[in-house]
Amino acid sequence: MEGEAAAAVLQVLVQNVIDLCKKEISQIRDLDKNAAKLTKSLKTIQKFLNDAETRNITSEAVKEWLKKLEDVAFDADNVLDELNYHILSDQIKPAETEEEKVPSCFSRLSCFSCFKHTSRSRNMAVRIQEINENLESLHKEGAGLGLVEKLADDQPKTYLETDSYTLDPFFIGRDDVESEIVEKLTKSITTDERAVSIISIVGMGGLGKTTLTRKVFNRLKNENRFGSHIWVHVSPNFDAITLFKKILNNLNSNQVEIASREDILAKLKEALKDKTYLLVLDDVWNEDRSKWEDFFNSLLGVSSVMGNAIVVTTRSMEVDSIVNPLHTHKLEGLSEEECWSIIKVKTFGEGNVPSEFEAIGRKIARRCRGLPLAANVVGGVLRNKDEEKWRSIEDKWLSPDEGGDDIPNILRLSFDNLSLPSLKKCFAYCAMFPKGSKINKRKLIEFWMAEGFLQADERDDMEFVGEKFINVLLHNSLLQVLWRVDDGNVRSCGMHDLVHDLACSVSSSSDRAGGSSRVRYMTLEDNYCGEESSRIPKEMAKSLRTLLITSEGDISDINFSDLESLHVLRLDSQVIKELPSSIRKLIHLRDFDISKTRIEVLPDWIGEFFHLQTLRVDSSDFRIRRKVPSTIKYLINLRHLYIHQFVELPMGIGRLTCLQTLKYFPVGDENGCKIEELGSLNNLKGELTILHLERVHDKEEAGKANLFKKSKILNLCLMWGVDREGERNDEDVLEGLQPHSHLREFEIRGFNGKRFPSWTQKMAVRDAPQGSWVVLNKLMSLSLSNCYECEEIPMLGQLPNLKSLVLLRLDNVKCINSSFYGMVNKDTRIVFPALEKLMLSSMPKLAEWAEIEISDGSEVKLFPRLQHLTIIRCEQLMSVPSHVSSCLEELRIEEIGVECLPADWLLSNSETLSYLRISSCWNLREISDRWGEEESEGRSFTITSLPIFPRLTFLTIKGVPKLSLETVDAMRRLQIHGIKRIEP
């Protein structure tokens, strides 16, 4: 496995070097011939790699050849990268003028100018010539080892064929799942209107998808649910003709001779005539939608009988999406107890297990991590072994001669199925992380980018390619989701222990890949740093490209100048208060993270990292006020700058036109720090908070930020400071800060104008300076806070995707009038159609929340999806709408002035309400439907009329002395299952 996998991932490095040859060396005239020769040599080597990747490499000589090639390729990469660094330094080095003196950190760069001279060119030519000679030698050696020059192709690999007959005598832990799938299939063939009902079973290799499907298949076969029962093992070669032949051979005893598609389909139609069928497509890998549609449409054409079913098993969620199943069952791992049951049965049968074996066996079961395949393999190994052997297995897990190869070989199929060498390299890189690590998705993509694994194209940038790679690895169960945020995006992921073993086996560069020639990627954990025995040897340091120091120990024993190839450096130790000056030598650095250190002042020489793409200087400890040097403006390749909101950015940040991430932009007073610096940063995306907007003078100056051009910014926060003097021009400034119509989340904080400008009032922006109005239809979250002088609320009811609305500390708002709901007419029948969360808080002058006005008397739905309603600290509020929602889950009312609470707030939500808090409402007298009616026409609600709340788990009623005693006591006495808290 190691050899052919290494060949696959090496192709990424070789291709990167070829690309660098074309890009960089072409700029130096004297190096053209060497560059051409290097490119030619690398392309020849690439063909050898294509051959090596398709072989089952057992030869130690070939494996050694691959290691030598890796070393030479990395050397070439370093030389070309250094060349690029010096070219950049000449381009970036500022001219010394009266206005701008050259920073001291650039004084040493004067030597770079000699790079244009013959001596520097000769030096580079000599180094590249040495690489060419090494590649020529490797070429001859590769040919001598029997490798041939071969163009990349799609030759299928061999896969273990499955069948419907082989029985697993240890089917444990899946009985309920089996019954559930049988029930769904049985129900689907009688109720589903489609001719074919599809059910998919998805899960990583080794989870037992085939075993489970086999049980389902044979159970339905025994029950004669279908006229025909067909089992086809698909494998990656998803070819319609091949599949139809397999289906036909399954139905007929005679083997189908090679025939045209038309003949095969005709025979299949005859075989399925007037019969229903159950078709199992086991182990589907194909992610080509057109191939599936071609197969499926032809299948529909050969059978007109209703009530058919297809069961698809796959490791890929992408396949699941393509086959469009009626039901998807995501197969989970077994419990530790179930894994132990498998091991126990395989080792001791039905007999008792000696206690000394059970203690060890349970530990081994834990290491199976829920995979029945692992439990079966290890159970077979443990059978008839003594206690000492059991302990040895626990300590060392499985060695290849004990059957340990069975597990990685099964999982290896997922790796082989990855379509791109770069994707394989990205997976192998994950071997660097310790088992059980929570891997931040965004950081992982930035690491891949720093290592050169992600190549942008005309449509997609590197970050987007990285997102796609993450999804592919997730879909193929090579990564697992550990944490999703509210919007569904993956925040962190991890690897199953056995998949981590696979990553180690295919990686030739990680410190966790045993036996590799050179370590390229390393994580230093706790208790590593500061120990004499654990210092990084100089020879190892020379080849390292990624170093993650997650230890809290001292790093003074690490000489960073030895890490001459380093691309990624992460320092997590809070012991570090100052950057070692030796880090300055790391000219290849692309990703630098000091967010968890206690460093407060970054040195000026940070500006010499011309290749740097990602710089993390943010901190969760807000006591650390970091100062970023002015030289940061020379990092023209910087794409992601992570800072916290208290950092004062230096002058000239607008020069960093590659920036995509800049979560905080504090507006400064001086030229070079003003809001116009944002104007040139049109690649910004994701989140942006602009602070200190009180320092912006007028609409014209605000407009220089060009927010309306920044269509990739989805979350925008505009903040004015609290302590300010002089004339306030907030309305004019906000008018000039019109964003793009793609906003998802929007917050205005500290705005002190009396009225919001036109675009904010309408929640619509112009698509050009004088263009038409476009409603912020994609807006999902809106927060208006600390707007102390504001007197009115914008029109919001028309926003189709608004899910969350927070109105906080709007001190001068007296009324939420009907304009709040937007334009209500015959075309508008749902107001606030998507709103799920509404909070009104700390609005001391708010006296009225008006009803919706409907001109034509027709019925309008208001807040149809509202789940969380909070109204607190609105002491003057005496009037609220009579109808709120029909699906409230949480209702919190505190410190408001109403005397009567509309009964509809409780009645219409009785089936969904789980949290109810009424507190400090000193004027509240009753819960009534008298809202605006004569007293005789209404009624108050007591124990006899209050509904039952079947889901209520939290109830608080306190500080409501005027509420009728009968009602209060009744609500206290409500016997509701699951109630957690009732306060008097």
Side-chain angles (χ1 to χ4, degrees):
M1 180 186 295
E2 178 186 338
E4 57 269 34
V9 297
L10 253 177
Q11 295 201 44
V12 181
L13 178 60
V14 172
Q15 186 59 53
N16 285 349
V17 176
I18 291 173
D19 293 341
L20 275 171
C21 277
K22 296 175 182 177
K23 178 182 176 183
E24 308 303 345
I25 297 186
S26 61
Q27 299 187 42
I28 310 299
R29 185 179 57 191
D30 294 342
L31 301 182
D32 280 351
K33 291 182 180 179
N34 285 317
K37 186 175 181 181
L38 178 57
T39 302
K40 184 178 179 181
S41 298
L42 287 168
K43 286 186 174 180
T44 301
I45 293 291
Q46 210 169 33
K47 294 175 183 177
F48 278 172
L49 289 175
N50 292 334
D51 181 39
E53 185 188 357
T54 60
R55 297 186 179 207
N56 182 17
I57 297 175
T58 58
S59 167
E60 292 300 321
V62 175
K63 292 180 182 179
E64 189 61 32
W65 179 83
L66 289 169
K67 292 176 181 179
K68 291 178 185 177
L69 174 59
E70 181 184 62
D71 290 343
V72 175
F74 272 115
D75 288 343
D77 184 66
N78 283 339
V79 169
L80 297 174
D81 200 53
E82 182 180 341
L83 171 61
N84 186 27
Y85 176 86
H86 295 314
I87 292 172
L88 283 174
S89 70
D90 283 339
Q91 294 173 348
I92 296 169
K93 190 174 84 172
E96 190 170 3
T97 64
E98 289 296 325
E99 293 79 21
E100 182 180 27
K101 298 291 184 180
V102 179
S104 60
C105 73
F106 284 93
S107 60
R108 75 182 185 93
L109 295 182
S110 59
C111 67
F112 292 166
S113 60
C114 69
F115 176 69
K116 296 178 181 178
H117 298 274
T118 306
S119 58
R120 179 58 62 85
S121 296
R122 282 178 180 170
N123 181 281
M124 283 293 173
V126 168
R127 293 170 68 182
I128 294 172
Q129 179 60 33
E130 290 177 356
I131 293 169
N132 275 327
E133 291 172 359
N134 289 333
L135 285 174
E136 189 173 338
S137 174
L138 284 170
H139 183 191
K140 293 177 181 178
E141 185 178 347
L145 292 170
L147 294 172
V148 297
E149 296 182 21
K150 180 178 180 181
L151 295 174
D153 59 23
D154 297 322
Q155 282 192 349
K157 298 179 174 62
T158 58
Y159 293 85
L160 181 65
E161 189 87 6
T162 66
D163 60 73
S164 64
Y165 296 99
T166 305
L167 296 178
D168 184 349
F170 309 113
F171 186 76
I172 293 174
R174 303 290 194 204
D175 293 311
D176 291 344
V177 179
E178 177 195 345
S179 297
E180 178 188 345
I181 294 174
V182 167
E183 181 182 349
K184 288 187 179 298
L185 278 169
T186 304
K187 184 178 179 181
S188 70
I189 61 176
T190 56
T191 61
D192 190 16
E193 296 180 355
R194 292 181 288 188
V196 180
S197 301
I198 303 173
I199 286 182
S200 67
I201 302 174
V202 186
M204 68 179 291
L207 270 179
K209 298 184 297 297
T210 299
T211 302
L212 171 63
T213 306
R214 193 180 283 130
K215 293 282 287 186
V216 170
F217 181 85
N218 287 310
R219 181 168 161 182
L220 290 169
K221 190 174 183 180
N222 292 335
E223 294 175 0
N224 290 316
R225 296 281 184 178
F226 298 89
S228 299
H229 300 80
I230 310 160
W231 182 286
V232 173
H233 177 254
V234 181
S235 83
N237 185 23
F238 191 97
D239 174 69
I241 293 295
T242 301
L243 291 180
F244 288 134
K245 284 182 179 179
K246 286 185 176 182
I247 293 171
L248 200 51
N249 288 332
N250 204 295
L251 292 168
N252 299 323
S253 57
N254 298 324
Q255 287 290 312
V256 177
E257 299 295 330
I258 297 176
S260 68
R261 180 187 180 111
E262 184 72 18
D263 290 341
I264 292 172
L265 291 177
K267 291 179 181 178
L268 190 58
K269 185 173 184 179
E270 181 64 26
L272 290 174
K273 185 177 181 181
D274 299 326
K275 289 183 181 179
T276 59
Y277 61 82
L278 169 63
L279 170 62
V280 170
L281 297 175
D282 189 37
D283 200 23
V284 178
W285 296 80
N286 169 61
E287 295 181 353
D288 186 333
R289 188 177 297 274
S290 62
K291 285 186 176 182
W292 169 257
E293 290 175 349
D294 175 49
F295 167 78
F296 188 65
N297 290 336
S298 295
L299 191 62
L300 290 176
V302 298
S303 176
S304 58
V305 179
M306 302 292 286
N308 305 296
I310 298 177
V311 178
V312 173
T313 74
T314 181
R315 303 184 190 192
S316 169
M317 287 302 298
E318 183 66 24
V319 170
D320 175 73
S321 172
I322 288 171
V323 302
N324 189 26
L326 179 69
H327 170 72
T328 298
H329 188 91
K330 295 180 181 178
L331 202 58
E332 303 293 339
L334 298 179
S335 68
E336 186 179 314
E337 186 66 32
E338 288 165 339
C339 286
W340 166 234
S341 295
I342 293 174
I343 294 172
K344 185 169 56 174
V345 171
K346 291 206 73 168
T347 52
F348 292 97
E350 299 299 325
N352 294 327
V353 181
S355 58
E356 64 272 20
F357 284 92
E358 180 166 353
I360 305 168
R362 287 186 177 277
K363 292 179 181 179
I364 294 174
R366 190 176 303 127
R367 299 197 65 177
C368 294
R369 295 293 190 269
L371 261 67
L373 169 69
N376 270 290
V377 171
V378 75
V381 173
L382 292 171
R383 186 176 180 85
N384 298 324
K385 300 293 192 304
D386 59 21
E387 182 182 348
E388 182 180 353
K389 186 62 177 177
W390 278 50
R391 292 191 185 281
S392 175
I393 295 292
E394 178 202 344
D395 291 338
K396 300 177 182 178
W397 195 226
L398 293 177
S399 61
D401 59 347
E402 293 169 331
D405 262 354
D406 290 351
I407 300 170
N409 283 340
I410 294 293
L411 298 177
R412 170 67 189 274
L413 295 176
S414 295
F415 176 80
D416 287 340
N417 190 57
L418 299 178
S419 57
L420 300 172
S422 53
L423 187 51
K424 293 180 177 180
K425 185 63 176 172
C426 287
F427 169 73
Y429 182 84
C430 295
M432 171 186 64
F433 300 102
K435 281 187 177 179
S437 292
K438 180 183 287 187
I439 306 170
N440 181 283
K441 182 191 77 171
R442 191 159 187 172
K443 288 183 179 180
L444 179 58
I445 291 173
E446 289 164 0
F447 291 167
W448 288 343
M449 187 171 69
E451 288 291 350
F453 302 157
L454 307 178
Q455 298 299 320
D457 55 34
E458 294 180 357
R459 296 178 302 171
D460 304 327
D461 60 16
M462 291 186 288
E463 290 79 2
F464 188 81
V465 173
E467 289 278 354
K468 290 198 293 188
F469 280 11
I470 289 283
N471 289 334
V472 171
L473 294 177
L474 287 171
H475 286 171
N476 285 280
S477 303
L478 293 172
L479 287 178
Q480 296 173 316
V481 176
L482 296 184
W483 179 27
R484 290 184 189 271
V485 290
D486 292 341
D487 62 4
N489 285 325
V490 176
R491 180 64 59 85
S492 62
C493 50
M495 301 181 91
H496 190 285
D497 284 2
L498 296 177
V499 175
H500 188 275
D501 292 341
L502 170 67
C504 288
S505 71
V506 301
S507 173
S508 60
S509 302
S510 168
D511 62 319
R512 301 176 191 281
S516 64
S517 57
R518 292 194 185 183
V519 174
R520 312 285 178 183
Y521 319 118
M522 175 181 283
T523 300
L524 299 188
E525 302 171 77
D526 286 333
N527 302 321
Y528 189 104
C529 300
E531 297 182 9
E532 183 70 27
S533 62
S534 298
R535 289 178 180 172
I536 303 173
K538 187 170 184 177
E539 188 59 32
M540 180 188 290
K542 184 178 180 181
S543 61
L544 273 179
R545 287 169 64 100
T546 291
L547 178 60
L548 310 183
I549 301 178
T550 61
S551 166
E552 285 295 327
D554 185 16
I555 61 168
S556 59
D557 61 328
I558 299 177
N559 184 5
F560 286 95
S561 59
D562 291 340
L563 303 166
E564 57 188 56
S565 301
L566 209 62
H567 282 54
V568 177
L569 177 59
R570 172 178 164 189
L571 305 176
D572 273 3
S573 175
Q574 294 195 26
V575 175
I576 303 172
K577 295 183 178 180
E578 185 177 352
L579 283 179
S581 59
S582 58
I583 291 179
R584 183 176 185 175
K585 306 286 187 180
L586 306 180
I587 65 173
H588 300 288
L589 205 61
R590 282 164 167 77
D591 192 305
F592 191 27
D593 183 353
I594 60 168
S595 57
K596 293 187 179 180
T597 68
R598 303 194 69 81
I599 297 168
E600 294 194 354
V601 179
L602 274 69
D604 285 345
W605 48 259
I606 287 290
E608 298 174 18
F609 294 149
F610 303 127
H611 284 310
L612 202 66
Q613 297 169 340
T614 303
L615 177 60
R616 290 181 178 268
V617 294
D618 54 338
S619 173
S620 57
D621 187 348
F622 292 112
R623 294 172 297 179
I624 300 175
R625 302 297 178 94
R626 291 201 171 108
K627 183 178 179 182
V628 179
S630 61
T631 54
I632 196 175
K633 64 188 176 187
Y634 301 119
L635 305 180
I636 61 171
N637 285 307
L638 197 65
R639 302 166 75 89
H640 307 286
L641 175 58
Y642 295 92
I643 60 172
H644 56 60
Q645 64 186 52
F646 301 112
V647 169
E648 287 284 342
L649 287 175
M651 292 189 296
I653 203 74
R655 293 175 59 170
L656 306 182
T657 55
C658 290
L659 265 187
Q660 294 185 11
T661 300
L662 182 65
K663 290 187 178 180
Y664 299 100
F665 181 86
V667 178
D669 288 317
E670 301 179 16
N671 288 333
C673 300
K674 294 184 177 181
I675 197 169
E676 64 185 23
E677 292 295 309
L678 282 173
S680 58
L681 305 182
N682 288 326
N683 288 309
L684 289 180
K685 62 181 180 180
E687 304 173 39
L688 175 63
T689 296
I690 307 177
L691 305 101
H692 302 303
L693 284 168
E694 70 277 6
R695 296 173 182 172
V696 181
H697 296 99
D698 51 35
K699 174 183 175 180
E700 182 181 358
E701 184 178 347
K704 293 179 180 179
N706 287 335
L707 291 186
F708 71 95
K709 291 183 179 180
K710 296 173 174 46
S711 59
K712 296 178 182 178
I713 291 179
L714 303 180
N715 305 345
L716 177 65
C717 177
L718 304 177
M719 291 179 59
W720 282 258
V722 177
D723 299 325
R724 45 182 166 146
E725 299 177 357
E727 183 179 350
R728 295 180 179 178
N729 53 356
D730 296 15
E731 294 179 19
D732 199 33
V733 170
L734 185 56
E735 183 72 58
L737 293 174
Q738 174 181 293
H740 200 277
S741 61
H742 292 174
L743 274 189
R744 302 281 180 85
E745 298 182 17
F746 186 34
E747 179 177 0
I748 298 176
R749 190 187 307 176
F751 171 78
N752 274 335
K754 290 185 178 297
R755 290 176 175 79
F756 288 107
S758 55
W759 70 265
T760 317
Q761 271 293 344
K762 298 177 180 180
M763 279 293 140
V765 296
R766 292 192 182 276
D767 56 5
Q770 301 299 323
S772 57
W773 289 99
V774 179
V775 177
L776 296 175
N777 282 339
K778 296 184 179 180
L779 196 65
M780 299 175 66
S781 174
L782 175 65
S783 175
L784 306 176
S785 63
N786 298 4
C787 303
Y788 301 114
E789 301 298 324
C790 183
E791 297 178 349
E792 56 187 26
I793 308 296
M795 294 187 297
L796 304 174
Q798 78 280 13
L799 298 176
N801 292 300
L802 187 66
K803 292 185 176 182
S804 174
L805 174 60
V806 175
L807 304 177
L808 173 64
R809 290 191 287 276
L810 307 182
D811 287 7
N812 225 21
V813 172
K814 298 177 182 178
C815 175
I816 299 178
N817 56 39
S818 59
S819 65
F820 172 65
Y821 305 107
M823 299 296 293
V824 181
N825 52 44
K826 63 179 181 179
D827 298 322
T828 307
R829 288 291 172 263
I830 304 177
V831 181
F832 287 103
L835 198 67
E836 297 175 357
K837 174 184 175 183
L838 174 59
M839 172 185 282
L840 309 180
S841 177
S842 302
M843 300 173 66
K845 294 184 180 180
L846 181 64
E848 179 186 4
W849 180 3
E851 297 273 9
I852 188 171
E853 294 181 1
I854 307 169
S855 57
D856 59 2
S858 58
E859 183 180 351
V860 172
K861 290 185 179 180
L862 176 62
F863 305 122
R865 298 179 63 181
L866 192 65
Q867 298 173 20
H868 306 275
L869 174 60
T870 300
I871 310 174
I872 56 177
R873 291 187 290 280
C874 301
E875 294 87 350
Q876 302 299 317
L877 183 59
M878 301 297 293
S879 171
V880 296
S882 58
H883 179 72
V884 171
S885 172
S886 58
C887 60
L888 270 184
E889 295 177 4
E890 179 178 328
L891 177 59
R892 182 181 175 191
I893 302 170
E894 297 184 49
E895 299 179 55
I896 67 173
V898 296
E899 295 183 358
C900 179
L901 193 65
D904 198 34
W905 285 27
L906 294 177
L907 287 174
S908 63
N909 298 291
S910 61
E911 294 295 320
T912 57
L913 206 61
S914 62
Y915 180 106
L916 175 60
R917 180 181 179 89
I918 303 175
S919 173
S920 302
C921 298
W922 309 107
N923 298 323
L924 184 61
R925 296 177 179 275
E926 59 184 339
I927 301 171
S928 172
D929 70 350
R930 261 199 298 272
W931 208 245
E933 306 282 347
E934 293 296 329
E935 184 171 346
S936 60
E937 297 178 7
R939 58 195 172 98
S940 295
F941 287 83
T942 63
I943 186 62
T944 58
S945 53
L946 278 171
I948 294 175
F949 298 86
R951 298 187 181 182
L952 198 64
T953 58
F954 185 101
L955 172 62
T956 296
I957 302 173
K958 68 175 183 178
V960 282
K962 296 183 180 180
L963 191 62
S964 80
L965 184 61
E966 184 180 4
T967 301
V968 174
D969 286 344
M971 295 184 76
R972 287 181 190 162
R973 292 197 302 270
L974 284 176
Q975 298 297 309
I976 304 168
H977 178 71
I979 206 78
K980 292 182 179 178
R981 183 178 179 188
I982 301 179
E983 296 182 359

